[in-house]
Amino acid sequence: MDNRFAMKDFLLLGLMLLLVIMFGLAMVQDGRQWEKLEQVNASLSEQQGQLERIGNLLESGIRISGDGSLGNGGAGNGGEPLTDSNDPFYRVRDLPTRADFDTGDFYIDCFGATVKNLTPVVAGDIYADRIDDHVLEHLVRRDPNTFEWKPLLATSWEMDEDELTITFNLRRNATFSDGEPLTANDVVFTYNWIMNPKVAAPRARAYLERIESVVAVDDYTVVFTLNEPYFNAMSLCGELEILAEHYYTQFTEDEYNEAPGLLFGSGPFKLQGDPRDWRAGESAITLVRNENYWGQAPPLDRVIWKMINDDPARLAEFRNREIDRFAVVPSMYRTLASDAELLERARLLEYDYVSSGYLYIGWNESRNGQPTRFADKRVRQAMTLLIDRETICERVYDNLAIPATGPFHPLGFQADPDVEPWPYDPARAAALLAEAGYTKNADNTLVDADGRPFTFSFIYSAGSTEAEQMAFMLKDSMARVGIRVDLDKLDWPLMQQKLDDRDFDSIMLGWGGSVESDVYQMFHSDQIADGGDNYISYSSARADAAIDRARATFDRDVSIAGWNEVHRILHDEQPYTFLTNRKAVSLIDRRFQNIEATGIGLNYAWEYYVPGPVQRHGQ
């Protein structure tokens, strides 16, 4: 049988091969189509998720910009592309792109004292400042890590060569919480209102007295003119908290001074309800999201502060999830740092920061117009030598603090690094007291030349375990050399009244710090009268002259040298016993995201968000 292929066989085989090739190509193409389809589906799914998030944001009243990010109301500088240098919201610009981002929920914090006043520039304490920072805004603010100046209500600024004039160009879309535009006229009003002697704002006036004038060139240009160069001119002018002229002019000066809650501004949050109805002593202070905010709206619905006066009660509230942050006190540090169950739902953050300030004892040098025993520098030095601050840092603060040497934080440039802390030295203290005319009588009591016993009262804060421990350590230390101390534990409002009336012998308090601190208000003799913060009546020609020199220049090197000199003088004269610089420790509920310990402390609540599945509170 003939087995050869005929021509038709070749044609049939070729046709079969062609079909196989075409089928294979079709399979490949089909695979590519399926791959492409899967990519399209993934893209559509991602876009659907973004649209759902944007829809949720819109339902929450938050504006969305053209690129899908949270609306920042034209935060750019004159239409330029947004960059870290001109976008005031560069730190939170990309939050909505995070997979777990959502809006809603409350952040609940607490204070260890009752807040008695929220009215701007009248309140004057660290608690009110913390609240005001969420409601009022500045022209500029510092980057919390680099300390560089960044725009906020101002888009740009320029200082003249004479270092006396700063021109700020304002944002054209900024509004107050009622939707009224914020203009240069509001900036001028703010300055004039604070400088009005009928307004109870002596502390704020002390800062602003170096400004000669504030002039609105037009609605969006304002010029600050100083009467002399000032080292901290940008902070002085740019960090002025802008008040709304149309709102505050409805009150007389007396009405403004007497109303405790007139807090109204342009910031991301506003006081809940009518500010005129707020009263001190309420169980909590509640801020709600400002739905008219001109900038990138905060994700959280509310920020709340409770008033809880003692540490165990605050910890119990934190364990029960009634508050979201607990400022860890040193006596509880080791226990909480090893509490595995608690750390499953809470972050433990430890951090140093330049604005943490310092703890101190102020020695009142004048009462009822008469000098006290603390007017003698040798006595003040002896008081410091009788306080064992190393032991305080070790036992009271569990080594989370170091002895302070002055009013400037050691991480800042103003502190002289060569200044060493005063030691604990009772023998040297006894010699100084003897030199100042004090001797011991037959009862082993220290008496002055007229035979009067050396006694004094010591005021400290109620509700603080650390303050209580230090008060008893002070009493015991003084008793060893024949000095009697009467302890007086008070709540903050009563302490503040004692300060205002200059009605105390000694008092333990803390001052907050800043990147560039101006200690004029605490230690210059000009600030003794008229409600200034030199409530210990410290008067030193040396300190006055050094403070004046350090303030009167914009040259950084000259300024540093000046503040170093101020540091050395205050270290020598001891108007305060500078007790400690303390590291901060906080426990924060893990549901909060984007929390950061920065060079000036924890970032603010307007940068926090809570993923939807773990939110605990609704509006």
Side-chain angles (χ1 to χ4, degrees):
M1 183 176 187
D2 191 355
N3 200 29
R4 289 178 298 175
F5 283 102
M7 181 60 68
K8 65 179 182 179
D9 296 318
F10 280 108
L11 291 173
L12 182 59
L13 180 61
L15 182 60
M16 291 177 64
L17 288 172
L18 181 60
L19 289 172
V20 169
I21 292 171
M22 290 178 66
F23 181 75
L25 290 173
M27 290 291 290
V28 171
Q29 182 66 19
D30 190 54
R32 290 175 178 170
Q33 292 292 337
W34 276 108
E35 182 179 351
K36 182 66 173 178
L37 184 59
E38 289 176 353
Q39 292 174 354
V40 170
N41 284 335
S43 177
L44 288 172
S45 178
E46 180 180 353
Q47 291 179 27
Q48 182 180 1
Q50 291 177 345
L51 288 171
E52 288 176 355
R53 287 200 299 273
I54 290 173
N56 291 335
L57 298 178
L58 288 170
E59 289 178 5
S60 301
I62 296 180
R63 298 181 299 281
I64 309 297
S65 67
D67 62 359
S69 63
L70 283 179
N72 55 23
N77 190 359
E80 297 175 5
L82 291 178
T83 66
D84 286 357
S85 64
N86 66 23
D87 180 6
F89 307 103
Y90 67 99
R91 286 173 51 83
V92 293
R93 181 197 309 145
D94 298 328
L95 286 187
T97 65
R98 297 188 182 183
D100 64 347
F101 178 81
D102 208 342
T103 62
D105 212 348
F106 304 168
Y107 173 72
I108 306 175
D109 207 333
C110 69
F111 292 136
T114 300
V115 178
K116 70 175 187 178
N117 200 314
L118 298 177
T119 299
V121 305
V122 171
D125 64 55
I126 194 169
Y127 306 116
D129 286 347
R130 186 70 179 179
I131 296 166
D132 288 359
D133 280 342
H134 291 74
V135 176
L136 304 175
E137 291 186 305
H138 310 146
L139 300 176
V140 297
R141 63 184 173 198
R142 289 187 186 272
D143 180 284
N145 290 311
T146 68
F147 306 147
E148 295 176 319
W149 291 111
K150 297 290 186 179
L152 188 56
L153 293 173
T155 59
S156 62
W157 53 91
E158 181 180 359
M159 175 174 280
D160 287 358
E161 292 182 2
D162 62 7
E163 299 180 357
L164 295 177
T165 303
I166 307 178
T167 301
F168 292 92
N169 300 304
L170 304 188
R171 207 168 294 282
R172 293 175 180 268
N173 63 314
T175 65
F176 291 102
S177 60
D178 60 358
E180 287 292 315
L182 185 154
T183 71
N185 292 326
D186 295 295
V187 181
V188 174
F189 166 78
T190 300
Y191 169 75
N192 290 334
W193 185 249
I194 295 172
M195 299 308 291
N196 181 349
K198 294 181 180 180
V199 174
R203 294 180 179 92
R205 276 196 292 277
Y207 277 116
L208 298 184
E209 67 175 8
R210 285 184 175 258
I211 298 176
E212 183 175 293
S213 65
V214 180
V215 177
V217 176
D218 56 42
D219 283 350
Y220 299 103
T221 309
V222 62
V223 178
F224 287 75
T225 301
L226 283 70
N227 49 39
E228 59 185 323
Y230 178 52
F231 87 106
N232 212 5
M234 270 299 293
S235 177
L236 178 72
C237 304
E239 290 191 300
L240 190 67
E241 291 181 324
I242 306 306
L243 305 178
E245 181 179 17
H246 74 277
Y247 180 80
Y248 286 105
T249 50
Q250 69 181 298
F251 307 103
T252 66
E253 292 90 345
D254 287 342
E255 289 171 338
Y256 181 85
N257 296 336
E258 294 169 6
L262 298 183
L263 181 56
F264 177 89
S266 63
F269 290 93
K270 62 182 181 180
L271 190 64
Q272 184 182 43
D274 189 332
R276 293 171 295 187
D277 296 333
W278 187 86
R279 295 293 179 268
E282 295 183 356
S283 59
I285 297 171
T286 300
L287 303 183
V288 297
R289 185 194 291 123
N290 173 11
E291 302 297 352
N292 288 323
Y293 188 47
W294 61 271
Q296 181 157 316
L300 296 176
D301 290 334
R302 297 186 185 186
V303 180
I304 300 169
W305 285 270
K306 293 185 174 182
M307 314 298 147
I308 308 174
N309 290 334
D310 66 88
D311 299 325
R314 285 193 288 272
L315 179 58
E317 289 271 296
F318 183 78
R319 288 188 180 278
N320 293 334
R321 306 194 76 177
E322 298 296 325
I323 60 175
D324 297 311
R325 186 182 77 93
F326 176 67
V328 178
V329 293
S331 60
M332 300 177 177
Y333 171 73
R334 291 185 184 273
T335 300
L336 297 179
S338 59
D339 188 330
E341 182 179 353
L342 185 63
L343 295 180
E344 281 186 7
R345 70 167 187 84
R347 295 186 184 91
L348 182 68
L349 300 175
E350 303 176 23
Y351 48 98
D352 289 307
Y353 58 103
V354 71
S355 54
S356 60
Y358 58 94
L359 186 70
Y360 68 92
I361 297 173
W363 308 105
N364 195 1
E365 299 182 28
S366 177
R367 296 189 74 171
N368 301 317
Q370 299 298 316
T372 71
R373 66 180 81 254
F374 299 123
D376 190 325
K377 179 178 77 171
R378 295 166 297 185
V379 174
R380 299 194 302 270
Q381 290 174 336
M383 296 298 98
T384 297
L385 290 165
L386 288 170
I387 299 171
D388 190 350
R389 292 176 296 163
E390 290 284 357
T391 298
I392 288 173
C393 292
E394 178 184 350
R395 295 183 184 176
V396 177
Y397 286 106
D398 202 3
N399 294 313
L400 293 170
I402 59 173
T405 63
F408 307 119
H409 196 282
L411 295 178
F413 68 83
Q414 292 172 290
D416 184 341
D418 295 328
V419 172
E420 296 289 339
W422 284 78
Y424 173 58
D425 192 339
R428 185 177 170 191
L432 283 169
L433 290 169
E435 185 181 323
Y438 291 90
T439 58
K440 285 189 177 181
N441 63 14
D443 296 329
N444 208 34
T445 298
L446 200 68
V447 297
D448 63 17
D450 296 324
R452 292 172 300 190
F454 194 134
T455 66
F456 66 91
S457 66
F458 178 69
I459 296 174
Y460 65 99
S461 175
S464 168
T465 303
E466 288 73 32
E468 187 92 13
Q469 287 178 275
M470 284 185 281
F472 281 102
M473 290 174 70
L474 174 75
K475 183 180 178 72
D476 180 64
S477 178
M478 296 294 170
R480 293 175 189 173
V481 295
I483 298 174
R484 192 188 79 206
V485 180
D486 298 320
L487 302 182
D488 193 3
K489 179 169 61 175
L490 299 177
D491 291 325
W492 170 240
L494 291 176
M495 292 179 74
Q496 189 168 54
Q497 190 62 54
K498 291 282 189 180
L499 293 176
D500 292 342
D501 295 340
R502 274 47 172 173
D503 182 23
F504 65 95
D505 292 329
S506 65
I507 191 166
M508 183 166 64
L509 287 168
W511 275 114
S514 62
V515 176
E516 296 176 286
S517 296
D518 187 351
V519 298
Y520 171 82
Q521 69 173 122
M522 304 91 151
F523 299 113
H524 199 285
S525 62
D526 284 353
Q527 294 303 296
I528 294 174
D530 300 325
D533 279 337
N534 187 351
Y535 42 73
I536 58 170
S537 298
Y538 169 63
S539 181
S540 165
R542 290 174 64 206
D544 284 356
I547 291 170
D548 289 341
R549 284 193 296 272
R551 298 176 88 215
T553 178
F554 202 67
D555 184 299
R556 175 58 63 88
D557 293 335
V558 175
S559 177
I560 289 174
W563 291 119
N564 287 175
E565 181 186 6
V566 172
H567 186 185
R568 292 190 295 270
I569 292 170
L570 296 177
H571 176 72
D572 172 57
E573 298 195 348
Q574 291 294 289
Y576 293 172
T577 290
F578 299 96
L579 290 172
T580 60
N581 296 120
R582 180 182 164 189
K583 177 183 286 188
V585 183
S586 291
L587 278 166
I588 300 181
D589 194 297
R590 285 188 181 274
R591 77 182 193 279
F592 292 96
Q593 303 302 307
N594 200 45
I595 290 180
E596 178 189 359
T598 75
I600 55 177
L602 288 181
N603 57 333
Y604 284 92
W606 61 70
E607 296 186 349
Y608 306 167
Y609 72 92
V610 180
V614 294
Q615 291 186 9
R616 301 189 65 242
H617 306 282
Q619 287 195 5

